[in-house]
Amino acid sequence: MEGRGTIRIPDLIQKKRDKQELDPEEIRFFIEEMVKGCIEQVQLGAMLMAWYFNGMSPKELTVLIDCMTHSGETLSWPEEWKTLLVDKHSTGGVGDKVSLVLAPALAACGLKVPMVSGRGLSFTGGTLDKLEAIPGFNVSLNNNQMCECLRYAGCFIAGQTKSLVPADRIMYAARDVTATVDNIHLATASIISKKAAENISALVLDVKVGRAAFFKNLNDARLVARSLVEAARDQGIKTTAVLTAMDTPIGLAIGNSLEIMEVIETLRGKGPPDLVELVKIQGGLLLNSVGRMDISKGEKLIEQTLQNGAALACFEKMLVHQNVDVRLAAELCSGGQTLARAKYVTAILSPSSGRVLDIDALACGSVCGALGAARARASDVILSAVGIELLVTVGQSITQGQPWAKLHHEDQSVASEHLIKLQNAVVVGEANNALVPTSRILEIVQ
């Protein structure tokens, strides 16, 4: 089937190919036919390529997002929660565990956090992959279960259901095989349609910048952040974006089980400063967006929930309500060693004495991914215990032969190429000036 009435799919492709603006009715028809399976894959690929090269007007983008959002079910919540519903989205990074701390911290502040998250490809496990390192954790919730979890714990972190934004699932699969993933308009439509389907009031976007990020420079990241913020606001979502540095790993843990353990330590008030900083600013922005308080007061409140155990209590409740055994959840949240441990641990030694000037997040992440901490294909099985434990941070003094990291791995031997990459990941030298920790926060887009 190619069309109904006077609209034909080939005509729409030709119109966009010729750099004309599609009418709202034409975009709606295209998305509806695609979801029904009435469009040939070559036609979808052709339209994606036309959008890729010729872009979209602001009106086209707004209509596309709305059509994608309503291509399936949208999440529904009690009316009294309307102004409390918030979420975040990150473009991904190495050691990025912010969501796992932020969601329960916001819940402890009285907000509701319906976090529909994803899995990871390439060198990093996604938020769901990290959570599945916890035995029994269920990421597949229906709308009723999501409501109960929000009522009981104040937050949930779950995967996208089949009925939620099916248009995005179809389009993303096609983008992945047609080299159209890295397009600002298509990426914006993909991200914001899923957030709009959550029916949230406010959103914060963590856009990573640097060698281990999708965006290598500040200008590209800024353009994408502005596109996302404007598109989300057009859907009625109060939105801000934070541009954050992604050259060195976040925190001291990389890899699924190791990151969960660091999350617990952070929720117990003992987290690494850079991770806490990211959680505080994003939480402060969301508390401000829903009218609770100004950003600085919001940051202080978020920090209080980490120090007084309130965020940890919400996290434990979330675990239990997402199928983790009550005793296991309690033991994990008290700092017990309940997660899988790697069979082997190899110390990575400093090549020289001096100050740690740099730790290459991309190198660390790629080695972890190659050893099984992430998947190269969707069908790959993740080894949750694989990862890297950092023993130093940038600015610290170190002596030659001193371990700067521990590599956790499941195979007895590690390929020399991976060990060499890790040995080269740390830069040690003499600092001309005193090295002080720098903020990861580069810019806020409002």
Side-chain angles (χ1 to χ4, degrees), residues 99-137:
S99 295
L100 298 169
V101 181
L102 180 63
L106 289 166
C109 295
L111 301 186
K112 302 293 184 184
V113 190
M115 192 170 285
V116 177
S117 194
R119 300 189 182 279
L121 288 171
S122 186
F123 53 76
T124 180
T127 300
L128 299 185
D129 300 313
K130 300 182 201 327
L131 284 167
E132 286 185 331
I134 304 171
F137 192 91

Side-chain angles (χ1 to χ4, degrees), residues 151-192:
R151 186 172 286 111
Y152 177 73
C155 60
F156 69 78
I157 304 176
Q160 183 178 350
T161 65
K162 289 184 178 180
S163 59
L164 193 70
V165 200
D168 177 64
R169 189 169 59 253
I170 296 166
M171 290 175 69
Y172 193 89
R175 288 168 60 207
D176 196 36
V177 296
T178 56
T180 54
V181 170
D182 60 333
N183 175 267
I184 189 170
H185 292 128
L186 294 174
T188 297
S190 175
I191 292 166
I192 302 304

Side-chain angles (χ1 to χ4, degrees), residues 398-415:
I398 194 169
T399 58
Q400 185 176 7
Q402 178 184 338
W404 67 270
K406 291 180 181 179
L407 176 64
H408 296 242
H409 50 104
E410 296 290 9
D411 292 332
Q412 186 170 4
S413 62
V414 178

Side-chain angles (χ1 to χ4, degrees), residues 81-113:
W81 293 355
K82 186 174 181 180
T83 61
L84 304 176
L85 292 155
V86 301
D87 195 7
K88 69 150 289 194
H89 175 80
S90 170
T91 56
V94 177
D96 186 3
K97 55 198 78 74
V98 174
S99 295
L100 298 169
V101 181
L102 180 63
L106 289 166
C109 295
L111 301 186
K112 302 293 184 184
V113 190

Side-chain angles (χ1 to χ4, degrees), residues 35-46:
V35 172
K36 288 190 294 187
C38 297
I39 291 179
E40 300 289 342
Q41 283 297 304
V42 291
Q43 292 177 317
L44 176 55

Side-chain angles (χ1 to χ4, degrees), residues 77 82 85-88 112 114 195-203 235-238:
W77 317 109
K82 186 174 181 180
L85 292 155
V86 301
D87 195 7
K88 69 150 289 194
K112 302 293 184 184
K195 295 305 175 186
E198 293 176 1
N199 276 313
I200 54 176
S201 173
L203 174 67
Q235 301 300 316
I237 305 170
K238 299 169 187 174

Side-chain angles (χ1 to χ4, degrees), residues 340-419:
R341 292 281 185 164
K343 292 178 183 177
Y344 306 97
V345 178
T346 298
I348 309 299
L349 309 181
S350 175
S352 57
S353 298
R355 291 288 190 99
V356 177
L357 303 180
D358 191 20
I359 299 174
D360 188 339
L362 182 58
C364 293
S366 62
V367 169
C368 286
L371 296 179
R375 50 175 73 82
R377 297 175 298 274
S379 58
D380 289 349
V381 175
I382 280 184
L383 302 177
S384 62
V386 167
I388 294 174
E389 180 184 356
L390 299 179
L391 305 177
V392 298
T393 58
V394 171
Q396 284 186 231
S397 296
I398 194 169
T399 58
Q400 185 176 7
Q402 178 184 338
W404 67 270
K406 291 180 181 179
L407 176 64
H408 296 242
H409 50 104
E410 296 290 9
D411 292 332
Q412 186 170 4
S413 62
V414 178
S416 60
E417 63 184 283
H418 300 321
L419 293 175

